[in-house]
Amino acid sequence: MTLRFVLDPELTPELREAIVALWVDVTNAGGAVGFVPPVTAADVRRTADPTFAGIAEGPDRLLLGYAGDRLVAALIFCDNRFDLKAHWCVLKRVMVHPDIQGHGYGLALMREAERLGRELGREALHVTLRDGLGLDRFYRRLGYREIGRLPGALRVAPGDDRDEILMWLDLTTPAQAAR
């Protein structure tokens, strides 16, 4: 099954709850999307509500992926809110439901983000990752390159500080544009 993508859907109360549920499921399965498991919907809503405001009121953009009618993937194009950085954006909360991981949906989501990034006039995409989960290998296969690290920036538990890995995809190079 392929994913059907929707950019900038209407953020109805039902959709907000579906996104929060996805976020909870991804986090509780070990996904690095801003929390450490276990989390509840109430925990996630504290971050989700201001995130939704940035989408509903702009300038952030929401990309959702559906398998049939089921929401299974999401990411946010976060505007830098700074004119000197208007040519690129940050991808945040990149999520694929744990029940369907390993079937190419993460790849499809990121390829759609890359396509839309170009369509939206962005010259690059930036993503930050929690070290120790092997996520950097996934992004490298997509053409992202590591541009830096913030050592020990993420405290996931007492005595367990992880690097935050900064990765970058140049959307202007011929090699990237040809993929």
Side-chain angles (χ1 to χ4, degrees), residues 124-139:
L125 299 175
H126 172 57
V127 65
T128 63
L129 316 172
R130 183 185 305 165
D131 195 19
L133 301 174
L135 296 170
D136 51 322
R137 289 189 305 274
F138 171 75
Y139 285 95

Side-chain angles (χ1 to χ4, degrees), residues 83-106:
D83 287 345
L84 298 179
K85 295 181 179 181
H87 58 290
W88 61 275
C89 68
V90 180
L91 300 181
K92 289 191 175 181
R93 311 304 179 217
V94 177
M95 299 184 272
V96 173
H97 197 281
D99 290 351
I100 62 157
Q101 289 180 2
H103 293 55
Y105 293 132

Side-chain angles (χ1 to χ4, degrees), residues 2-3 15 18 35 52 75 77-78 82 93 97 106-107 110-111 113-114 121 137 143 149 165 167-168 171-173:
T2 60
L3 290 185
L15 181 56
F35 298 94
F52 292 147
L75 65 74
F77 291 90
C78 290
F82 184 58
R93 311 304 179 217
H97 197 281
L107 173 67
M110 295 308 296
R111 290 290 184 235
E114 181 181 339
R137 289 189 305 274
R149 285 178 180 251
I165 304 172
M167 300 199 77
W168 184 266
L171 298 177
T172 65
T173 62

Side-chain angles (χ1 to χ4, degrees), residues 17 29 31 44 48-49 59 76-78 108 116 137 153 161:
E17 286 306 308
V44 170
D49 288 343
I76 302 162
F77 291 90
C78 290
L116 286 169
R137 289 189 305 274
D161 294 349

Side-chain angles (χ1 to χ4, degrees), residues 68-83:
D69 291 333
R70 181 180 176 210
L71 175 65
V72 296
L75 65 74
I76 302 162
F77 291 90
C78 290
D79 186 89
N80 286 303
R81 294 163 171 78
F82 184 58
D83 287 345

Side-chain angles (χ1 to χ4, degrees), residues 12-24 52 66 71:
T12 63
E14 296 79 20
L15 181 56
R16 290 171 189 243
E17 286 306 308
I19 294 167
V20 167
L22 173 64
W23 205 333
V24 168
F52 292 147
Y66 289 87
L71 175 65

Side-chain angles (χ1 to χ4, degrees), residues 88 125-128 140 144-150 164-170:
W88 61 275
L125 299 175
H126 172 57
V127 65
T128 63
R140 279 190 182 93
Y144 285 75
R145 63 184 172 89
E146 184 176 326
I147 57 168
R149 285 178 180 251
L150 300 174
E164 183 172 38
I165 304 172
L166 313 175
M167 300 199 77
W168 184 266
L169 180 67
D170 183 346

